[in-house]
Amino acid sequence: AEVAWVMGSWQRQPGYHYTCLDRRRAIQYLGENFGRKIVSAFRLANHPAEEADFLRLAVLWKEGGIYADADDMLVGDLDDLLAEGGGAILFHEQFGTIANNLICARPKHPLIGAALGMACTSLSARANESTWSKTGPGMMTRAISSWLINRPPATGTPTMAQCRPRSAMSCHRSLHELRLPG
């Protein structure tokens, strides 16, 4: 009930479409929109966090939008968040890496495509890395670095990316500490 309440802070936003996929619906979505390779990589995830990390990239690549972790409560205005602009908006974590708990992106943004490709490769290879490195913030940090080095010259807003300071994220969302029973 507490997770649903936190997720509802995003769901109740007027003018926005909210989607939440369980594992069964995630596999169905990936199969319908990506095919066997992506579904196979998803199924090879070792942990629900890896599944969520991978799914967020696939959905953002296909549809664009805003992804927030289930324990991140919206405390700001989504229009203000998106007004920060660019084709993709990411945030620093406290240790200088790139967070993956709140990501905004236009559909088919090449940075999100690069991150999805890296995560797919790691999962498919059954990489013996931590979730953080394989599909999480460590991978996002590598993906943005690689994208910045290898991207073609900027052609405008759809391919721009902003990496905002951690303090900017706290204007929009608050990590809600869930109290688990027992």
Side-chain angles (χ1 to χ4, degrees):
E2 194 170 351
V3 172
W5 180 78
V6 171
M7 291 169 64
S9 68
W10 298 88
Q11 187 176 9
R12 293 184 290 271
Q13 294 303 300
Y16 288 88
H17 171 77
Y18 177 87
T19 302
C20 179
L21 301 173
D22 61 18
R23 188 173 195 279
R24 181 188 58 77
R25 288 182 26 217
I27 291 169
Q28 180 182 352
Y29 174 88
L30 294 172
E32 290 171 359
N33 291 284
F34 291 92
R36 206 177 327 180
K37 180 180 177 183
I38 294 291
V39 171
S40 177
F42 179 84
R43 288 177 187 252
L44 290 171
N46 290 325
H47 189 276
E50 290 177 6
E51 291 176 346
D53 290 345
F54 190 69
L55 179 63
R56 84 188 62 188
L57 294 171
V59 172
L60 285 171
W61 167 252
K62 174 77 174 151
E63 300 185 30
I66 301 168
Y67 174 89
D69 276 354
D71 62 347
D72 284 348
M73 186 165 52
L74 179 64
V75 296
D77 182 275
L78 287 179
D79 291 332
D80 289 344
L81 172 64
L82 295 175
E84 300 205 17
I89 303 169
L90 299 108
F91 297 89
H92 287 127
E93 286 201 305
Q94 63 188 12
F95 301 112
T97 55
I98 306 301
N100 72 336
N101 60 313
L102 179 60
I103 303 172
C104 307
R106 295 186 190 280
K108 306 248 189 296
H109 193 284
L111 169 58
I112 302 301
L116 178 61
M118 289 176 98
C120 184
T121 298
S122 290
L123 291 172
S124 297
R126 306 282 299 163
N128 191 19
E129 299 177 86
S130 69
T131 298
W132 187 88
S133 298
K134 192 179 345 180
T135 59
M139 183 279 306
M140 282 301 298
T141 303
R142 288 193 322 268
I144 198 168
S145 298
S146 176
W147 179 74
L148 286 170
I149 291 167
N150 297 311
R151 73 184 173 129
T155 57
T157 302
T159 59
M160 282 180 43
Q162 287 192 31
C163 192
R164 308 284 296 147
R166 182 176 169 84
S167 60
M169 186 189 321
S170 63
C171 295
H172 304 292
R173 73 90 173 116
S174 173
L175 179 62
H176 184 76
E177 293 192 24
L178 300 175
R179 283 172 250 117
L180 301 176

